[in-house]
C-alpha cells in the first residue's frame, strides 16, 4: 500500500513497475480498479469494463459490470491483488505479478454462476471487456491505432448499447494478434503483449498432467481514441464436462 502517493498500491522493486488505483479521476471521469504497468519510464494501463455474451449473429448480452468500489485482497506472498465477486457472486478479478510477466485474470468459480444466455447460442462466447490506454510515446508494432493518441481509458460506465455500437462499428480492429511488442519513439521494444490463454483447475498427478490449457479469441478494437480488448471463451468450452472449475481467463 502507498498511502503517500496518488495511487493506492504499488510494486516498484522489479524490472517493471506496477501501480494500482482503487478509484481514480481522469479529466472528470471516475475509473475503478486501474492498473498501470511501467517499464523504462513508459506506461500502459487498463481497467475492467464488463463481462458479456456475444454470438455470431452480432448480438450481445450484458452479464455484469464491475461492482462499485470494493476493497481488494492484497496477497504479497503470491503477488496477487484480487477483488472477490467483482462481476457478481462467484466471478472474481485479479492482477497477478511475477518477475517478468503481468497477468490480468477473471476467475469463474463455478459454471452455475454464469447466467443462461438470452441471445442465440449460434457461436456463443463469453467475453471479458477491458479498456486500455498507453503513453503518447508508446506504439504497438502491429500498426494498430497509428497516429492516434490513446493516453486515456475509455469510460467504464458506458452502457451496453454504446459498447455494442463500438463492437459492431469500430474504426479499426485487430483479431487474434500474435505476440507483439510495444515500441518507444525510437522503435525499440519496451514490452510485449502475449497471446491470452485460459486454464482450468484439472490436475491428475498420476498421469503427470496439469490444468487444461484453453486457447481464447482476442480482439483489439478502437473507436476514436478509445481502445477495448475483448477476450473470449466459447460456450463449448464453458459446458465441456472435462473442464474443472474454477476457470481462469487471462486477459
Amino acid at each position: 500500500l502507498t498511502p503517500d502517493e496518488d495511487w493506492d498500491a504499488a510494486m516498484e522493486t522489479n524490472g517493471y513497475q506496477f501501480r494500482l488505483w482503487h478509484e481514480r479521476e481522469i479529466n472528470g471521469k471516475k475509473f475503478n480498479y486501474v492498473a498501470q504497468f511501467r517499464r523504462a519510464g513508459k506506461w500502459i494501463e487498463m481497467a475492467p469494463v464488463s463481462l458479456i455474451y456475444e454470438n455470431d449473429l452480432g448480438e450481445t448480452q450484458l452479464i455484469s459490470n464491475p461492482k462499485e468500489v470494493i476493497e481488494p485482497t492484497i496477497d504479497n506472498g503470491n503477488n496477487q491483488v484480487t477483488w472477490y465477486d467483482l462481476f457478481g457472486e462467484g466471478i472474481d478479478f485479479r492482477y497477478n505479478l511475477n518477475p517478468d510477466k503481468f497477468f490480468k485474470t477473471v476467475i469463474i468459480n463455478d459454471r452455475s454462476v454464469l447466467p443462461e444466455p438470452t441471445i442465440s447460442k449460434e457461436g456463443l462466447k463469453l467475453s471479458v471487456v477491458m479498456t486500455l490506454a498507453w503513453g503518447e510515446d508508446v506504439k504497438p508494432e502491429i500498426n494498430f491505432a497509428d497516429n492516434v493518441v490513446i493516453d486515456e481509458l475509455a469510460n467504464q460506465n458506458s452502457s451496453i448499447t454504446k459498447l455494442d455500437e463500438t463492437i459492431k462499428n469500430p474504426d479499426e480492429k485487430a483479431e487474434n494478434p500474435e505476440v507483439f511488442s510495444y515500441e518507444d519513439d525510437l522503435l525499440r521494444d519496451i514490452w510485449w503483449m502475449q497471446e491470452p490463454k485460459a486454464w482450468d483447475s484439472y490436475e491428475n498427478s498420476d498421469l503427470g498432467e496439469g490444468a487444461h490449457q484453453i486457447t481464447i479469441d482476442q480482439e483489439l478494437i478502437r473507436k476514436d481514441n478509445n481502445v477495448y480488448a475483448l477476450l473470449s471463451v466459447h460456450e463449448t468450452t464453458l459446458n465441456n464436462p472435462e473442464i474443472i472449475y474454477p476457470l481462469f481467463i487471462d486477459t
Side-chain angles (χ1 to χ4, degrees):
L1 296 175
T2 53
D4 297 328
E5 302 289 356
D6 171 61
W7 46 92
D8 297 299
M11 183 280 298
E12 302 280 5
T13 54
N14 203 346
Y16 67 89
Q17 295 79 47
F18 166 83
R19 293 175 181 173
L20 169 70
W21 288 260
H22 305 153
E23 294 181 87
R24 185 181 181 191
E25 186 167 314
I26 305 173
N27 292 333
K29 299 177 184 176
K30 290 187 178 181
F31 297 87
N32 301 331
Y33 320 115
V34 177
Q36 187 182 84
F37 177 100
R38 303 177 63 88
R39 183 171 181 268
K42 314 297 185 183
W43 59 268
I44 182 171
E45 58 191 28
M46 61 218 68
V49 173
S50 59
L51 194 63
I52 63 175
Y53 284 131
E54 301 179 86
N55 64 22
D56 286 349
L57 302 179
E59 299 172 318
T60 57
Q61 175 187 338
L62 178 66
I63 297 172
S64 177
N65 294 122
K67 289 181 179 179
E68 288 298 316
V69 178
I70 56 177
E71 286 298 308
T73 298
I74 297 178
D75 181 348
N76 284 314
N78 291 309
N79 306 312
Q80 297 174 341
V81 182
T82 306
W83 290 270
Y84 291 101
D85 301 329
L86 184 71
F87 285 109
E89 186 174 353
I91 307 177
D92 310 327
F93 182 73
R94 173 178 293 163
Y95 290 127
N96 301 270
L97 291 69
N98 73 19
D100 62 351
K101 292 182 181 179
F102 170 50
F103 296 92
K104 296 72 63 186
T105 309
V106 170
I107 305 165
I108 311 295
N109 284 283
D110 191 83
R111 177 63 183 88
S112 65
V113 303
L114 293 172
E116 285 302 308
T118 58
I119 59 176
S120 170
K121 292 188 177 181
E122 185 175 335
L124 187 72
K125 56 188 179 182
L126 171 74
S127 297
V128 180
V129 185
M130 302 281 291
T131 175
L132 304 176
W134 49 81
E136 189 171 357
D137 51 358
V138 173
K139 297 290 181 183
E141 55 89 13
I142 55 171
N143 299 319
F144 178 81
D146 283 346
N147 304 313
V148 181
V149 176
I150 312 292
D151 62 354
E152 187 175 314
L153 296 170
N155 188 353
Q156 281 178 301
N157 297 318
S158 294
S159 67
I160 185 63
T161 302
K162 186 172 183 180
L163 179 60
D164 202 27
E165 292 172 355
T166 299
I167 292 171
K168 291 177 180 176
N169 300 293
D171 292 333
E172 64 177 316
K173 178 191 296 187
E175 295 187 81
N176 290 318
E178 297 180 355
V179 175
F180 64 90
S181 67
Y182 281 79
E183 301 173 333
D184 66 10
D185 47 357
L186 299 177
L187 303 183
R188 296 175 297 193
D189 296 325
I190 316 167
W191 60 77
W192 287 262
M193 187 77 79
Q194 71 177 34
E195 295 173 87
K197 298 288 184 182
W199 61 95
D200 73 350
S201 299
Y202 173 81
E203 185 172 356
N204 190 326
S205 57
D206 292 338
L207 298 177
E209 297 177 357
H212 294 113
Q213 299 296 312
I214 301 158
T215 300
I216 62 179
D217 289 333
Q218 176 184 199
E219 284 187 333
L220 298 177
I221 60 174
R222 179 183 66 81
K223 189 73 171 178
D224 299 323
N225 64 340
N226 295 325
V227 168
Y228 298 94
L230 282 74
L231 299 307
S232 305
V233 177
H234 287 264
E235 182 209 24
T236 51
T237 296
L238 299 174
N239 293 326
N240 185 340
E242 295 184 0
I243 295 297
I244 307 298
Y245 285 82
L247 176 67
F248 300 86
I249 305 172
D250 163 34
T251 66

